[in-house]
Amino acid sequence: MLNNGQLIPQFGFGVFLVEPADAAAAVTTALQAGYRHIDTAEMYGNEKEVGEGIARSGLDRGDVFVTSKLGNASHRPEDARKAFDATLDALGFGYIDLFLIHWPLPTRYDGDFVSTWLTLEEFYRDGRARSIGVSNFQPHHLRRLHEESEITPAVNQIEVHPYLTQDGVRAFCAEHQIAIEAWSPLARGGELLADPTVDEIARRAGKTPAQVVLRWHIERGDIVFPKSVTPERVRENIAIFDFELSGADVEAISALNRDERTGPDPDNFGG
Ligand SMILES: NC(=O)c1ccc[n+]([C@@H]2O[C@H](COP(=O)([O-])OP(=O)(O)OC[C@H]3O[C@@H](n4cnc5c(N)ncnc54)[C@H](OP(=O)(O)O)[C@@H]3O)[C@@H](O)[C@H]2O)c1
């Protein structure tokens, strides 16, 4: 449950780097596999196809939780209003479940992300965004919102995986009732999925390394939405609700932390 009482499925499907031509089919595959939460963004260029995939599934709009994010070029209030209208249009929806500022962009817009946040508050108040939140915000960015605005973000979507456990941001958000959404939960595949510690736990559990890493996120209480355009992996990734990791296994995976990002540093990313 988010800090405003809205429910969010803890597990979902991400569509970053899913080509528009593949996005509707990928979303349909995920919904058929049982996913009920889709994470997209204006900058992913596939909102329209995500909306099509949901419409094609035959599910009620209310059965699928959908998130999108404000593009980096649209932070000024008048641009943010147009961008939000365009997002709803592209998705084909009258409302969105969760809308985020994608990046704080402290080196752009004279460092002003507060007026952008106040504009998202308008979308929340008029009911077209059921929840609003931020992405890639550091504690000092969140502190400014706390001091200069009224609504606490429902979520902070940040890069988190066993090589980047983000203990500081997670502790700050826990204290302020801001849910953590872990992006790139698999560290985009590759080295993490061949890590000997993860591999040993996976063999013992009779699960794949990706399943063990996703289960680690679930045990820590974060919201996750791995991306895959491979139907077998889409199904593999959601098959993590029939086992648990011991506290010792969770700790062993957390101990892999190297503070290593796969993406940009929010403090100097200018979009
Ligand atoms: N807010 C932000 O700034 C931000 C930034 C990045 C991502 N995100 C969100 O977070 C979502 C997830 O992050 P991500 O897409 O960067 O990375 P990810 O989910 O950590 O990893 C995706 C990569 O892992 C591969 N993969 C997926 N399942 C696998 C499995 N079971 N075994 C082996 N490989 C597997 C995928 O390959 P195939 O697709 O080829 O199967 C893909 O290359 C995004 O889609 C997006 O919604 C947000």
Side-chain angles (χ1 to χ4, degrees):
M1 186 183 285
L2 299 175
N3 61 17
N4 60 359
Q6 191 189 12
L7 294 174
I8 181 170
Q10 193 184 354
F11 189 83
F13 186 63
V15 294
F16 177 44
L17 297 181
V18 178
E19 291 298 326
D22 302 328
V27 165
T28 304
T29 300
L31 294 173
Q32 280 169 351
Y35 293 65
R36 291 292 180 270
H37 169 179
I38 312 289
D39 183 87
T40 184
E42 185 271 335
M43 292 194 291
Y44 302 168
N46 55 24
E47 288 172 317
K48 181 168 168 287
E49 292 75 13
V50 165
E52 283 169 10
I54 293 169
R56 264 189 233 163
S57 73
L59 290 166
D60 287 342
R61 166 71 187 90
D63 290 339
V64 187
F65 188 103
V66 181
T67 300
S68 194
K69 317 183 190 86
L70 181 72
N72 290 341
S74 304
H75 273 214
R76 293 196 198 291
E78 62 274 23
D79 296 333
R81 290 184 194 108
K82 285 184 203 141
F84 183 62
D85 288 346
T87 281
L88 290 182
D89 263 9
L91 287 163
F93 298 161
Y95 73 92
I96 193 154
D97 299 279
L98 176 62
F99 193 65
L100 311 181
I101 298 181
H102 206 145
W103 288 90
L105 306 178
T107 60
R108 264 173 88 177
Y109 304 106
D110 300 321
D112 170 25
F113 46 79
V114 177
S115 66
T116 315
W117 177 251
L118 295 175
T119 311
L120 263 66
E121 288 191 353
E122 293 173 15
F123 311 150
Y124 180 69
R125 290 204 171 90
D126 72 22
R128 291 182 303 152
R130 298 272 162 96
S131 292
I132 51 174
V134 295
S135 178
N136 300 301
F137 273 48
Q138 304 277 43
H140 64 97
H141 302 130
L142 293 166
R143 236 176 254 121
R144 265 192 71 192
L145 293 189
H146 185 65
E147 284 159 11
E148 299 178 45
S149 73
E150 284 185 15
I151 299 176
T152 302
V155 309
N156 186 18
Q157 183 177 129
I158 54 172
E159 181 177 352
V160 185
H161 44 72
Y163 289 160
L164 181 70
T165 53
Q166 294 270 30
D167 300 336
V169 187
R170 288 176 83 257
F172 182 92
C173 288
E175 195 185 316
H176 292 83
Q177 285 81 49
I178 299 170
I180 293 288
E181 298 193 323
W183 66 251
S184 293
L186 299 173
R188 304 198 177 163
E191 192 188 346
L192 173 64
L193 301 184
D195 188 285
T197 300
V198 174
D199 188 58
E200 188 274 320
I201 295 170
R203 282 170 198 276
R204 214 170 352 98
K207 290 284 176 181
T208 66
Q211 288 172 324
V212 163
V213 170
L214 293 170
R215 186 71 214 182
W216 171 83
H217 287 281
I218 296 291
E219 308 270 355
R220 282 169 30 116
D222 291 352
I223 297 160
V224 273
F225 23 80
K227 169 264 180 186
S228 177
V229 290
T230 314
E232 300 74 48
R233 288 176 172 172
V234 172
R235 291 188 279 274
E236 170 189 331
N237 291 346
I238 199 175
I240 57 168
F241 296 97
D242 57 355
F243 80 114
E244 286 177 4
L245 296 174
S246 67
D249 285 343
V250 171
E251 271 176 40
I253 296 170
S254 302
L256 298 175
N257 181 42
R258 313 162 165 175
D259 292 330
E260 187 176 277
R261 294 182 186 278
T262 66
D265 179 347
D267 276 322
N268 49 43
F269 182 58

